[in-house]
Amino acid sequence: MPSTWLSPSAHWKRRRPNCQACATSTWRPRRPGTTSATRCPDSRATAERQERLEKKGRPVETTSTSDKTAGLIGLGAMGAGIAATLRRAGYQMHVCDARPGAAQAFAQEGGTAHGSPAEVAAQCERIVSVVVNAQQTEEVLFGPDGAAAAMKPGSVFVMCSTVDPNWSIGLEKRLGELGIHYVDAPISGGAAKAASGQMTVMSSAKPEAYAKAGAMLDAMAGKVYRLGDRAGAGSKVKIINQLLAGVHIAAAAEAMALGLREGVAPDALYEVITHSAGNSWMFENRMAHVLAGDYTPLSAVDIFVKDLGLVLDTARATKFPLPLASTAHQMFMQASTAGFAKEDDSAVIKIFPGIEIPKAKDKA
């Protein structure tokens, strides 16, 4: 039996007036000279977005007060954060995950847990998939108890994985033949930004797909980039982002390794670099893991084996040289085969010989 949750919105209604446009409990004081109707920031943004779309002759986004229901498949570090963000935004969430108990744990705080993608799809016209790769997405859609067969025509499937852009283009066509809209929507920002609703979505889709999913995308991310009117562009931009991310992590590890080899105090090196021109977001973030001796995987080594492999495959198709990406890919491959595949991607520093990396600090 799926676990269910009853929204406490009835209690809020007694305490503060609701927005008359979206029926949420978010409230702002009435400004002098305005009517008594209250309108929350989210509903104002939605109304303004609808007006802009109408002026451009594009389909308006169709989320209504009676249809704030969404499904999410894949409750990993990113998926769980996205699902929680949508739940806070007022969406009634239907979730499932391949790991036993993950969906039930999420539903304890609100939402409905299901045993398969098909069960989620039977309840929702908007499905977000946050799994590792194209193979898992295929299983979500077309495997046993897959979502595609249970989705109603006119529903929308939002794909957030990092995949080959050509595969994403093909998926749009396959789902279109079933009457299902598709949004190519890889994500970036990490688990913390997913949980706070501040991650980035690099999307591309047909106008009809945006009309169905646009409001939900805006609710789950701080930045939603619309990069094209068909699938593929979103995944291409994500591939380029991953090229930079992988190279930056590899370079950060190499720099810290050289410092350790030369006897520089690692804490001092970190302090100086993070306040100097050589700093990068990846150095600041990932080398903090190294200093703590904590390789709990927020993004694993094997993620960059996969993602940099996709980068190289994309460039190889047009014989485009990527010397830095190629070197970084080999570094992650070496770390993976040395036994660090499931560790945090900062564990790529462990491939360097003749250094002693900081040990895990004892927890008080």
Side-chain angles (χ1 to χ4, degrees):
M1 290 287 293
S3 57
T4 58
W5 172 74
L6 182 62
S7 169
S9 59
H11 301 292
W12 284 97
K13 288 178 182 177
R14 300 190 194 106
R15 297 169 59 186
R16 49 167 70 166
N18 284 355
C19 166
Q20 294 185 3
C22 69
T24 66
S25 60
T26 305
W27 177 79
R28 296 289 183 274
R30 179 170 61 89
R31 296 190 304 273
T34 64
T35 65
S36 61
T38 58
R39 182 181 287 271
C40 71
D42 286 344
S43 67
R44 283 201 305 270
T46 298
E48 290 167 0
R49 182 169 56 248
Q50 304 284 54
E51 185 178 352
R52 289 196 302 270
L53 291 174
E54 288 173 341
K55 287 180 179 178
K56 294 179 180 179
R58 291 166 54 187
V60 299
E61 295 164 3
T62 55
T63 300
S64 67
T65 59
S66 62
D67 189 22
K68 291 196 76 172
T69 300
L72 189 136
I73 300 166
L75 291 166
M78 297 291 284
I82 294 169
T85 295
L86 287 172
R87 182 171 59 193
R88 288 196 307 273
Y91 282 82
Q92 298 297 315
M93 296 304 299
H94 294 260
V95 299
C96 76
D97 190 275
R99 297 166 300 159
Q104 288 76 11
F106 175 85
Q108 287 180 359
E109 300 295 328
T112 304
H114 296 279
S116 71
E119 290 181 15
V120 173
Q123 301 296 321
C124 307
E125 294 185 2
R126 297 168 179 83
I127 305 288
V128 182
S129 174
V130 195
V131 296
V132 172
N133 54 27
Q135 180 181 354
Q136 290 188 8
T137 307
E138 289 275 355
E139 286 294 313
V140 164
L141 282 167
F142 305 112
D145 295 319
M151 293 180 75
K152 300 174 184 176
S155 299
V156 64
F157 184 80
V158 178
M159 193 284 305
C160 295
S161 306
T162 303
V163 300
D164 183 329
N166 290 320
W167 179 86
S168 187
I169 292 168
L171 183 59
E172 180 181 60
K173 181 179 179 182
R174 291 160 67 191
L175 291 177
E177 291 170 351
L178 300 174
I180 299 169
H181 301 304
Y182 173 69
V183 182
D184 178 23
I187 55 180
S188 183
K193 286 192 174 182
S196 66
Q198 295 302 309
M199 68 175 189
T200 296
V201 176
M202 300 160 236
S203 72
S204 55
K206 294 179 179 178
E208 296 80 8
Y210 279 129
K212 189 76 174 179
M216 182 182 70
L217 290 170
D218 289 340
M220 73 189 213
K223 292 283 188 182
V224 179
Y225 291 100
R226 299 188 178 196
L227 301 166
D229 60 3
R230 58 181 55 83
S235 285
K236 288 179 181 179
V237 171
K238 179 60 188 294
I239 289 290
I240 295 165
N241 180 80
Q242 294 308 91
L243 183 160
L244 289 166
V247 167
H248 287 175
I249 294 169
E254 183 173 271
M256 181 61 76
L258 177 61
L260 293 171
R261 178 72 173 184
E262 293 298 317
V264 179
D267 288 332
L269 178 62
Y270 181 85
E271 175 70 14
V272 171
I273 295 300
T274 56
H275 290 86
S276 301
N279 190 35
S280 68
W281 190 93
M282 285 299 189
F283 183 96
E284 189 163 351
N285 183 269
R286 298 308 204 265
M287 292 306 101
H289 302 177
V290 172
L291 294 183
D294 184 0
Y295 298 95
T296 303
L298 299 179
S299 173
V301 165
D302 266 0
I303 292 293
F304 277 96
V305 172
K306 171 186 76 78
D307 287 0
L308 288 172
L310 290 172
V311 169
L312 296 173
D313 288 344
T314 300
R316 188 178 299 113
T318 57
K319 298 182 179 180
F320 192 81
L322 295 176
L324 296 180
S326 298
T327 300
H329 186 237
Q330 287 298 308
M331 291 170 66
F332 284 106
M333 288 277 283
Q334 185 177 345
S336 181
T337 56
F340 311 127
K342 304 303 179 186
E343 294 189 15
D344 186 77
D345 51 35
S346 59
V348 72
I349 196 173
K350 296 181 180 182
I351 69 172
F352 291 96
I355 63 171
E356 184 175 347
I357 61 176
K359 300 289 191 295
K361 294 179 173 62
D362 293 331
K363 296 181 179 179

